[in-house]
Amino acid sequence: MVNESHWTYNIVRIDITASPGERFAAIRPASDQPVDGPVMRGFATFQRVCFSCHSLNKVGDAHLGPDLNVPYSAVEYMGDDKLARLIRDPQSLRWWPGARMPAIDERTLSDADLKDLLAYLHHMAGRKGS
Ligand code: HEC
Protein backbone atom coordinates (compact mmCIF):
# COMPACT_ATOMS: atom_id res chain seq x y z
CA MET A 1 0.00 0.00 0.00
CA VAL A 2 1.06 3.57 -0.65
CA ASN A 3 0.37 6.07 2.06
CA GLU A 4 -1.90 8.74 0.54
CA SER A 5 0.40 11.57 1.52
CA HIS A 6 3.21 9.98 -0.47
CA TRP A 7 1.18 9.37 -3.59
CA THR A 8 2.49 11.70 -6.23
CA TYR A 9 0.00 10.96 -8.99
CA ASN A 10 -3.73 11.10 -9.42
CA ILE A 11 -5.30 7.69 -9.40
CA VAL A 12 -7.19 7.15 -12.64
CA ARG A 13 -7.48 3.38 -12.49
CA ILE A 14 -6.48 0.61 -10.14
CA ASP A 15 -5.52 -2.73 -11.59
CA ILE A 16 -5.25 -5.65 -9.24
CA THR A 17 -2.04 -7.44 -10.08
CA ALA A 18 0.38 -9.79 -8.38
CA SER A 19 2.38 -8.33 -5.48
CA PRO A 20 5.63 -6.54 -6.42
CA GLY A 21 7.65 -9.40 -4.97
CA GLU A 22 5.92 -11.79 -7.36
CA ARG A 23 6.29 -9.49 -10.35
CA PHE A 24 9.92 -8.52 -9.72
CA ALA A 25 12.15 -11.42 -8.75
CA ALA A 26 15.19 -9.14 -8.45
CA ILE A 27 13.85 -7.44 -5.30
CA ARG A 28 13.36 -10.73 -3.44
CA PRO A 29 15.64 -11.73 -0.57
CA ALA A 30 17.43 -15.09 -0.68
CA SER A 31 14.95 -17.95 -0.39
CA ASP A 32 16.53 -19.25 2.83
CA GLN A 33 15.50 -16.15 4.79
CA PRO A 34 13.04 -17.03 7.58
CA VAL A 35 9.59 -15.70 6.65
CA ASP A 36 9.15 -13.90 9.97
CA GLY A 37 12.73 -12.60 10.24
CA PRO A 38 13.91 -8.99 9.95
CA VAL A 39 14.95 -9.27 6.29
CA MET A 40 11.54 -10.56 5.15
CA ARG A 41 9.73 -8.04 7.35
CA GLY A 42 11.95 -5.32 5.89
CA PHE A 43 11.14 -6.58 2.39
CA ALA A 44 7.42 -6.05 3.06
CA THR A 45 8.13 -2.59 4.48
CA PHE A 46 10.25 -1.69 1.48
CA GLN A 47 7.40 -2.59 -0.89
CA ARG A 48 4.90 -0.64 1.21
CA VAL A 49 6.93 2.52 1.79
CA CYS A 50 9.78 2.96 -0.74
CA PHE A 51 8.99 1.00 -3.90
CA SER A 52 6.33 3.53 -4.95
CA CYS A 53 9.15 5.94 -5.86
CA HIS A 54 12.38 3.94 -6.06
CA SER A 55 13.54 0.98 -8.10
CA LEU A 56 15.81 -1.70 -6.65
CA ASN A 57 18.21 -3.73 -8.77
CA LYS A 58 16.83 -1.63 -11.64
CA VAL A 59 13.35 -3.13 -11.47
CA GLY A 60 10.08 -1.56 -10.42
CA ASP A 61 7.44 0.71 -11.89
CA ALA A 62 8.64 3.98 -10.33
CA HIS A 63 11.80 5.94 -11.05
CA LEU A 64 11.09 9.15 -9.19
CA GLY A 65 14.12 8.69 -6.94
CA PRO A 66 17.40 6.86 -7.59
CA ASP A 67 17.75 3.07 -7.50
CA LEU A 68 18.28 1.90 -3.93
CA ASN A 69 20.75 -0.92 -4.62
CA VAL A 70 22.76 -0.34 -7.79
CA PRO A 71 25.43 0.74 -8.42
CA TYR A 72 25.60 1.25 -4.64
CA SER A 73 23.12 0.84 -1.84
CA ALA A 74 22.64 3.80 0.44
CA VAL A 75 23.65 1.54 3.34
CA GLU A 76 27.07 1.26 1.65
CA TYR A 77 27.78 4.93 0.95
CA MET A 78 25.74 6.59 3.70
CA GLY A 79 25.65 4.12 6.54
CA ASP A 80 22.66 3.24 8.68
CA ASP A 81 22.54 6.35 10.84
CA LYS A 82 22.57 8.84 7.98
CA LEU A 83 20.13 6.77 5.96
CA ALA A 84 17.74 6.58 8.90
CA ARG A 85 18.02 10.34 9.26
CA LEU A 86 17.40 10.84 5.55
CA ILE A 87 14.24 8.72 5.72
CA ARG A 88 12.89 10.71 8.66
CA ASP A 89 13.92 14.08 7.23
CA PRO A 90 15.58 14.04 3.77
CA GLN A 91 16.26 17.77 3.83
CA SER A 92 18.40 17.41 6.95
CA LEU A 93 21.10 15.78 4.81
CA ARG A 94 20.78 17.63 1.54
CA TRP A 95 18.73 20.72 0.99
CA TRP A 96 17.51 22.20 -2.25
CA PRO A 97 14.15 23.68 -3.20
CA GLY A 98 13.35 21.03 -5.79
CA ALA A 99 13.74 18.01 -3.48
CA ARG A 100 10.75 15.72 -3.71
CA MET A 101 11.30 12.94 -1.20
CA PRO A 102 8.88 13.41 1.70
CA ALA A 103 9.82 12.97 5.34
CA ILE A 104 8.50 9.58 6.46
CA ASP A 105 7.34 9.69 10.05
CA GLU A 106 6.64 6.99 12.66
CA ARG A 107 2.99 6.69 11.71
CA THR A 108 3.98 5.40 8.27
CA LEU A 109 7.20 3.70 9.34
CA SER A 110 7.74 2.78 12.99
CA ASP A 111 11.27 2.63 14.42
CA ALA A 112 11.00 -1.17 14.39
CA ASP A 113 9.93 -1.12 10.71
CA LEU A 114 12.85 1.15 9.91
CA LYS A 115 15.27 -1.27 11.57
CA ASP A 116 13.83 -4.14 9.52
CA LEU A 117 14.07 -2.05 6.37
CA LEU A 118 17.79 -1.50 7.03
CA ALA A 119 18.23 -5.27 7.48
CA TYR A 120 16.58 -5.82 4.09
CA LEU A 121 18.75 -3.17 2.38
CA HIS A 122 21.93 -4.68 3.88
CA HIS A 123 20.87 -8.10 2.69
CA MET A 124 20.14 -6.81 -0.81
CA ALA A 125 23.50 -4.99 -0.95
CA GLY A 126 24.91 -8.52 -1.22
CA ARG A 127 22.45 -9.37 -4.01
CA LYS A 128 23.12 -6.87 -6.80
CA GLY A 129 21.51 -7.36 -10.15
CA SER A 130 20.17 -10.89 -10.63
C1 HEC B 1 7.17 9.99 -2.74
C2 HEC B 1 8.35 9.38 -3.32
C3 HEC B 1 9.42 8.79 -2.43
C4 HEC B 1 9.28 7.86 -1.43
C5 HEC B 1 7.99 7.24 -0.90
C6 HEC B 1 10.61 7.55 -0.99
N1 HEC B 1 11.53 8.30 -1.68
FE1 HEC B 1 13.53 8.27 -1.46
N2 HEC B 1 13.74 9.74 -2.83
C7 HEC B 1 12.72 10.25 -3.61
C8 HEC B 1 13.27 11.24 -4.52
C9 HEC B 1 12.46 12.03 -5.55
C10 HEC B 1 14.65 11.31 -4.26
C11 HEC B 1 15.69 12.21 -4.94
C12 HEC B 1 15.97 13.37 -4.07
C13 HEC B 1 14.77 14.25 -3.88
O1 HEC B 1 14.22 14.77 -4.88
O2 HEC B 1 14.33 14.39 -2.72
C14 HEC B 1 14.91 10.36 -3.19
C15 HEC B 1 16.15 10.14 -2.63
C16 HEC B 1 16.45 9.09 -1.79
C17 HEC B 1 17.77 8.74 -1.33
C18 HEC B 1 19.02 9.54 -1.62
C19 HEC B 1 19.89 8.89 -2.62
C20 HEC B 1 21.09 9.75 -2.81
O3 HEC B 1 22.16 9.19 -2.96
O4 HEC B 1 20.97 11.00 -2.83
C21 HEC B 1 17.66 7.64 -0.57
C22 HEC B 1 18.79 6.87 0.10
C23 HEC B 1 16.26 7.30 -0.51
N3 HEC B 1 15.56 8.21 -1.26
C24 HEC B 1 15.75 6.23 0.20
C25 HEC B 1 14.39 6.00 0.38
C26 HEC B 1 13.88 4.94 1.21
C27 HEC B 1 14.72 3.92 1.96
C28 HEC B 1 12.52 5.06 1.16
C29 HEC B 1 11.50 4.25 1.92
C30 HEC B 1 11.60 4.29 3.36
C31 HEC B 1 12.19 6.18 0.29
N4 HEC B 1 13.36 6.72 -0.16
C32 HEC B 1 10.91 6.63 -0.01
C33 HEC B 1 11.39 9.91 -3.52
C34 HEC B 1 10.84 9.05 -2.59
Side-chain angles (χ1 to χ4, degrees):
M1 288 296 288
V2 176
N3 182 309
E4 213 177 319
S5 63
H6 299 149
W7 191 259
T8 38
Y9 307 100
N10 289 321
I11 297 173
V12 289
R13 197 182 72 194
I14 291 179
D15 292 328
I16 306 298
T17 54
S19 75
E22 285 161 349
R23 289 175 59 211
F24 302 111
I27 68 171
R28 274 186 230 144
S31 54
D32 61 359
Q33 281 297 315
V35 284
D36 52 356
V39 169
M40 290 308 286
R41 288 197 308 262
F43 177 42
T45 298
F46 167 78
Q47 293 173 75
R48 178 174 64 83
V49 186
C50 316
F51 204 42
S52 53
C53 293
H54 290 272
S55 63
L56 191 137
N57 281 338
K58 295 190 176 167
V59 303
D61 292 326
H63 302 285
L64 200 61
D67 191 280
L68 291 184
N69 204 41
V70 291
Y72 292 98
S73 168
V75 297
E76 294 171 296
Y77 63 78
M78 248 177 218
D80 290 18
D81 291 349
K82 287 218 175 64
L83 177 57
R85 222 177 94 193
L86 178 139
I87 291 168
R88 291 293 188 219
D89 184 8
Q91 302 283 288
S92 72
L93 260 78
R94 291 192 183 121
W95 180 88
W96 77 104
R100 287 172 301 171
M101 178 163 163
I104 299 172
D105 67 18
E106 280 112 280
R107 275 175 310 165
T108 301
L109 180 76
S110 70
D111 286 341
D113 286 349
L114 177 43
K115 227 175 134 198
D116 291 340
L117 177 64
L118 293 173
Y120 167 71
L121 292 173
H122 275 281
H123 177 76
M124 295 311 286
R127 289 170 66 77
K128 308 252 188 207
S130 80

